[in-house]
PDB file of all heavy atoms in Angstrom:
ATOM      1  N   LEU Z 286      16.260  -9.895   7.237  1.00  0.00           N
ATOM      2  CA  LEU Z 286      15.244 -10.941   7.402  1.00  0.00           C
ATOM      3  C   LEU Z 286      15.550 -12.096   6.448  1.00  0.00           C
ATOM      4  O   LEU Z 286      15.507 -13.255   6.793  1.00  0.00           O
ATOM      5  CB  LEU Z 286      13.847 -10.410   7.143  1.00  0.00           C
ATOM      6  CG  LEU Z 286      12.667 -11.387   7.417  1.00  0.00           C
ATOM      7  CD1 LEU Z 286      12.402 -11.441   8.892  1.00  0.00           C
ATOM      8  CD2 LEU Z 286      11.402 -11.009   6.761  1.00  0.00           C
ATOM      9  N   ARG Z 287      15.846 -11.714   5.193  1.00  0.00           N
ATOM     10  CA  ARG Z 287      16.195 -12.753   4.181  1.00  0.00           C
ATOM     11  C   ARG Z 287      17.328 -13.627   4.578  1.00  0.00           C
ATOM     12  O   ARG Z 287      17.274 -14.818   4.512  1.00  0.00           O
ATOM     13  CB  ARG Z 287      16.363 -12.071   2.846  1.00  0.00           C
ATOM     14  CG  ARG Z 287      16.556 -13.041   1.729  1.00  0.00           C
ATOM     15  CD  ARG Z 287      17.132 -12.502   0.452  1.00  0.00           C
ATOM     16  NE  ARG Z 287      18.509 -12.431   0.471  1.00  0.00           N
ATOM     17  CZ  ARG Z 287      19.321 -12.073  -0.548  1.00  0.00           C
ATOM     18  NH1 ARG Z 287      18.634 -11.632  -1.659  1.00  0.00           N
ATOM     19  NH2 ARG Z 287      20.576 -12.048  -0.545  1.00  0.00           N
ATOM     20  N   ALA Z 288      18.347 -12.976   5.112  1.00  0.00           N
ATOM     21  CA  ALA Z 288      19.596 -13.746   5.453  1.00  0.00           C
ATOM     22  C   ALA Z 288      19.202 -14.784   6.546  1.00  0.00           C
ATOM     23  O   ALA Z 288      19.590 -16.005   6.535  1.00  0.00           O
ATOM     24  CB  ALA Z 288      20.633 -12.789   6.014  1.00  0.00           C
ATOM     25  N   GLY Z 289      18.322 -14.349   7.500  1.00  0.00           N
ATOM     26  CA  GLY Z 289      18.025 -15.245   8.545  1.00  0.00           C
ATOM     27  C   GLY Z 289      17.055 -16.390   8.139  1.00  0.00           C
ATOM     28  O   GLY Z 289      17.319 -17.612   8.432  1.00  0.00           O
ATOM     29  N   LEU Z 290      16.105 -16.077   7.270  1.00  0.00           N
ATOM     30  CA  LEU Z 290      15.155 -17.108   6.781  1.00  0.00           C
ATOM     31  C   LEU Z 290      15.932 -18.047   5.885  1.00  0.00           C
ATOM     32  O   LEU Z 290      15.670 -19.256   6.078  1.00  0.00           O
ATOM     33  CB  LEU Z 290      14.056 -16.371   6.050  1.00  0.00           C
ATOM     34  CG  LEU Z 290      13.115 -15.552   6.750  1.00  0.00           C
ATOM     35  CD1 LEU Z 290      12.174 -14.733   5.880  1.00  0.00           C
ATOM     36  CD2 LEU Z 290      12.345 -16.345   7.829  1.00  0.00           C
ATOM     37  N   GLU Z 291      16.744 -17.568   5.047  1.00  0.00           N
ATOM     38  CA  GLU Z 291      17.461 -18.458   4.117  1.00  0.00           C
ATOM     39  C   GLU Z 291      18.564 -19.362   4.961  1.00  0.00           C
ATOM     40  O   GLU Z 291      18.679 -20.432   4.629  1.00  0.00           O
ATOM     41  CB  GLU Z 291      18.183 -17.723   3.114  1.00  0.00           C
ATOM     42  CG  GLU Z 291      17.087 -17.139   2.100  1.00  0.00           C
ATOM     43  CD  GLU Z 291      17.700 -16.459   0.827  1.00  0.00           C
ATOM     44  OE1 GLU Z 291      18.917 -16.087   0.828  1.00  0.00           O
ATOM     45  OE2 GLU Z 291      16.884 -16.174  -0.121  1.00  0.00           O
ATOM     46  N   ALA Z 292      19.109 -18.831   5.979  1.00  0.00           N
ATOM     47  CA  ALA Z 292      19.940 -19.653   6.828  1.00  0.00           C
ATOM     48  C   ALA Z 292      19.202 -20.797   7.400  1.00  0.00           C
ATOM     49  O   ALA Z 292      19.746 -21.842   7.642  1.00  0.00           O
ATOM     50  CB  ALA Z 292      20.666 -18.755   7.906  1.00  0.00           C
ATOM     51  N   MET Z 293      17.885 -20.493   7.786  1.00  0.00           N
ATOM     52  CA  MET Z 293      17.028 -21.584   8.272  1.00  0.00           C
ATOM     53  C   MET Z 293      16.741 -22.575   7.308  1.00  0.00           C
ATOM     54  O   MET Z 293      16.114 -23.658   7.585  1.00  0.00           O
ATOM     55  CB  MET Z 293      15.763 -20.902   8.797  1.00  0.00           C
ATOM     56  CG  MET Z 293      15.565 -20.993  10.337  1.00  0.00           C
ATOM     57  SD  MET Z 293      13.899 -20.425  10.648  1.00  0.00           S
ATOM     58  CE  MET Z 293      14.128 -18.669  10.935  1.00  0.00           C
ATOM     59  N   GLY Z 294      16.923 -22.251   5.990  1.00  0.00           N
ATOM     60  CA  GLY Z 294      16.482 -23.181   4.895  1.00  0.00           C
ATOM     61  C   GLY Z 294      15.231 -22.806   4.276  1.00  0.00           C
ATOM     62  O   GLY Z 294      14.674 -23.552   3.427  1.00  0.00           O
ATOM     63  N   LEU Z 295      14.674 -21.635   4.628  1.00  0.00           N
ATOM     64  CA  LEU Z 295      13.376 -21.239   4.023  1.00  0.00           C
ATOM     65  C   LEU Z 295      13.644 -20.525   2.682  1.00  0.00           C
ATOM     66  O   LEU Z 295      14.711 -19.946   2.504  1.00  0.00           O
ATOM     67  CB  LEU Z 295      12.571 -20.336   4.965  1.00  0.00           C
ATOM     68  CG  LEU Z 295      12.280 -20.939   6.315  1.00  0.00           C
ATOM     69  CD1 LEU Z 295      11.471 -20.013   7.169  1.00  0.00           C
ATOM     70  CD2 LEU Z 295      11.349 -22.220   6.082  1.00  0.00           C
ATOM     71  N   ARG Z 296      12.580 -20.534   1.841  1.00  0.00           N
ATOM     72  CA  ARG Z 296      12.831 -19.920   0.519  1.00  0.00           C
ATOM     73  C   ARG Z 296      11.720 -18.925   0.260  1.00  0.00           C
ATOM     74  O   ARG Z 296      10.564 -18.929   0.679  1.00  0.00           O
ATOM     75  CB  ARG Z 296      12.714 -20.997  -0.543  1.00  0.00           C
ATOM     76  CG  ARG Z 296      13.838 -21.989  -0.567  1.00  0.00           C
ATOM     77  CD  ARG Z 296      15.257 -21.398  -1.112  1.00  0.00           C
ATOM     78  NE  ARG Z 296      16.388 -22.219  -0.632  1.00  0.00           N
ATOM     79  CZ  ARG Z 296      17.179 -21.904   0.357  1.00  0.00           C
ATOM     80  NH1 ARG Z 296      16.923 -20.815   1.082  1.00  0.00           N
ATOM     81  NH2 ARG Z 296      18.275 -22.639   0.717  1.00  0.00           N
ATOM     82  N   PHE Z 297      12.000 -17.857  -0.600  1.00  0.00           N
ATOM     83  CA  PHE Z 297      11.088 -16.862  -1.004  1.00  0.00           C
ATOM     84  C   PHE Z 297      10.292 -17.380  -2.145  1.00  0.00           C
ATOM     85  O   PHE Z 297      10.753 -18.111  -2.961  1.00  0.00           O
ATOM     86  CB  PHE Z 297      11.767 -15.564  -1.395  1.00  0.00           C
ATOM     87  CG  PHE Z 297      12.161 -14.759  -0.097  1.00  0.00           C
ATOM     88  CD1 PHE Z 297      13.119 -15.199   0.797  1.00  0.00           C
ATOM     89  CD2 PHE Z 297      11.431 -13.533   0.097  1.00  0.00           C
ATOM     90  CE1 PHE Z 297      13.466 -14.400   1.896  1.00  0.00           C
ATOM     91  CE2 PHE Z 297      11.834 -12.766   1.331  1.00  0.00           C
ATOM     92  CZ  PHE Z 297      12.806 -13.213   2.158  1.00  0.00           C
ATOM     93  N   LEU Z 298       9.007 -16.840  -2.256  1.00  0.00           N
ATOM     94  CA  LEU Z 298       8.168 -17.215  -3.420  1.00  0.00           C
ATOM     95  C   LEU Z 298       8.603 -16.483  -4.677  1.00  0.00           C
ATOM     96  O   LEU Z 298       8.569 -16.956  -5.705  1.00  0.00           O
ATOM     97  CB  LEU Z 298       6.673 -16.716  -3.006  1.00  0.00           C
ATOM     98  CG  LEU Z 298       5.649 -16.826  -4.183  1.00  0.00           C
ATOM     99  CD1 LEU Z 298       5.277 -18.334  -4.436  1.00  0.00           C
ATOM    100  CD2 LEU Z 298       4.391 -16.044  -3.879  1.00  0.00           C
ATOM    101  N   VAL Z 299       9.002 -15.149  -4.466  1.00  0.00           N
ATOM    102  CA  VAL Z 299       9.296 -14.293  -5.571  1.00  0.00           C
ATOM    103  C   VAL Z 299      10.758 -14.229  -5.994  1.00  0.00           C
ATOM    104  O   VAL Z 299      11.610 -14.256  -5.045  1.00  0.00           O
ATOM    105  CB  VAL Z 299       8.855 -12.866  -5.146  1.00  0.00           C
ATOM    106  CG1 VAL Z 299       9.023 -11.835  -6.235  1.00  0.00           C
ATOM    107  CG2 VAL Z 299       7.298 -12.952  -4.774  1.00  0.00           C
TER     108      VAL Z 299
END
Side-chain angles (χ1 to χ4, degrees):
L286 184 81
R287 186 188 88 175
L290 294 172
E291 290 186 344
M293 246 189 267
L295 299 177
R296 294 287 163 258
F297 278 69
L298 172 74
V299 179

